[in-house]
């Protein structure tokens, strides 16, 4: 059975909503026709690690794509065209653009987050982001760990990206790990910033557990024995840590 009272209330609310939308549009459009875009505000979302881009870089991208709204009539600014152009740039994951009451255009940028820089034995030099996608080394500076050795792009995406996410997402490891080195048999060595030793992770499986075992050894072992006592520390094998004295 139809509830006419409820149906009338819903219909009334829909009509009011449409009216308000049309009223706001009618109010804004004449203002946009008379207003010149006074500038672009760029906001870059901050992640765990510092990315590559600056607001000046984003404005330069807008200039290159001929979609910089500054100096144009607001009514002629195509926000969707700006977003599509920016999202084509390799360093940008997502772009959102909107007009402000102050007569400017605000651009909110989400960067692609690099987790490791690859400087491979074959001469390749590029970054890998948290999703395993490669970023060309464009000359932007970004301070994060380096991976060296026998690395192809498939290995970087499949293996190094997950390890990079683990390390970047943890305050201790992000500050402690300086370098990963991939040997010819695809086993991995870790070079720490503190301590005169090399850590053997072995095959890149169960890395989270290996790092947790190493963290406990650092906390309860090296803190007592001294950070420079060993030349090599291996967490390759389950439930054990093998150390070689200097």
């Amino acid at each position: 059975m139809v509830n006419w009272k409820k149906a009338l209330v819903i219909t009334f609310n829909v009509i009011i909503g449409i009216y308000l939308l049309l009223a706001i549009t009618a109010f804004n459009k004449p203002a946009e026709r008379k207003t010149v875009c006074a500038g672009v505000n760029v906001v870059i979302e901050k992640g765990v690690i510092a990315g590559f881009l600056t607001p000046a870089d984003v404005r330069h991208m807008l200039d290159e794509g001929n979609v910089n709204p500054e100096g144009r009539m607001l009514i002629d600014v195509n926000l969707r065209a700006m977003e599509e152009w920016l999202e084509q740039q390799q360093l940008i994951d997502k772009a959102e653009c909107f007009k402000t009451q102050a007569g400017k255009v605000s651009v909110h940028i989400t960067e692609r987050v690099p987790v490791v820089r690859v400087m491979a034995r074959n001469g390749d030099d590029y970054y890998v982001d948290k999703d395993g996608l490669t970023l060309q080394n464009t000359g932007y500076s970004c301070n994060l760990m380096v991976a060296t050795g026998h690395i192809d792009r498939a290995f970087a995406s499949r293996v190094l990206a997950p390890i990079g996410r683990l390390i970047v997402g943890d305050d201790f490891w992000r500050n402690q790990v300086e370098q990963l080195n991939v040997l010819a048999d695809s086993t991995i060595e870790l070079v720490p910033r503190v301590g005169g030793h090399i850590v053997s992770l072995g095959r890149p499986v169960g890395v989270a557990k290996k790092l947790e075992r190493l963290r406990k050894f650092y906390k309860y072992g090296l803190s007592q024995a001294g950070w420079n006592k060993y030349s090599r520390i291996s967490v390759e094998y389950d439930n054990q840590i093998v150390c070689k004295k200097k």
Side-chain angles (χ1 to χ4, degrees), residues 136-211:
Q136 293 179 4
N137 187 348
T138 56
Y140 293 98
S141 62
C142 186
N143 184 27
L144 73 166
M145 70 174 177
V146 175
T148 58
H150 296 75
I151 306 170
D152 60 26
R153 290 180 184 254
F155 186 90
S157 297
R158 178 174 52 84
V159 176
L160 295 183
I163 295 175
R165 286 198 303 270
L166 274 175
I167 291 172
V168 167
D170 184 288
D171 288 341
F172 175 77
W173 292 121
R174 186 169 64 252
N175 292 310
Q176 172 67 351
V177 179
E178 183 174 40
Q179 180 181 343
L180 299 175
N181 186 46
V182 181
L183 304 181
D185 61 357
S186 296
T187 57
I188 297 177
E189 296 176 333
L190 182 154
V191 181
R193 284 193 170 93
V194 178
H197 56 265
I198 301 296
V199 177
S200 175
L201 295 178
R203 293 180 59 78
V205 293
V207 175
K209 291 182 178 180
K210 293 175 180 179
L211 288 177

Side-chain angles (χ1 to χ4, degrees), residues 2-62:
V2 177
N3 187 333
W4 291 106
K5 184 177 180 180
K6 184 177 181 180
L8 287 172
V9 170
I10 293 173
T11 302
F12 178 76
N13 287 336
V14 170
I15 292 172
I16 291 297
I18 294 173
Y19 170 79
L20 290 174
L21 179 62
L22 292 174
I24 292 171
T25 303
F27 176 79
N28 285 337
K29 290 300 181 182
E32 286 190 10
R33 290 190 180 94
K34 299 177 183 178
T35 304
V36 174
C37 178
V40 178
N41 293 325
V42 178
V43 178
I44 300 175
E45 183 178 319
K46 300 298 182 183
V48 175
I49 60 172
F52 298 94
L53 292 175
T54 66
D57 295 325
V58 176
R59 293 189 184 94
H60 180 67
M61 290 175 183
L62 292 172

Side-chain angles (χ1 to χ4, degrees), residues 112-116 127-135 161 165:
R112 287 174 61 184
V113 180
V115 293
V116 61
Y127 294 89
V128 179
D129 77 358
K130 62 183 180 64
D131 299 315
L133 301 174
T134 58
L135 306 173
R165 286 198 303 270

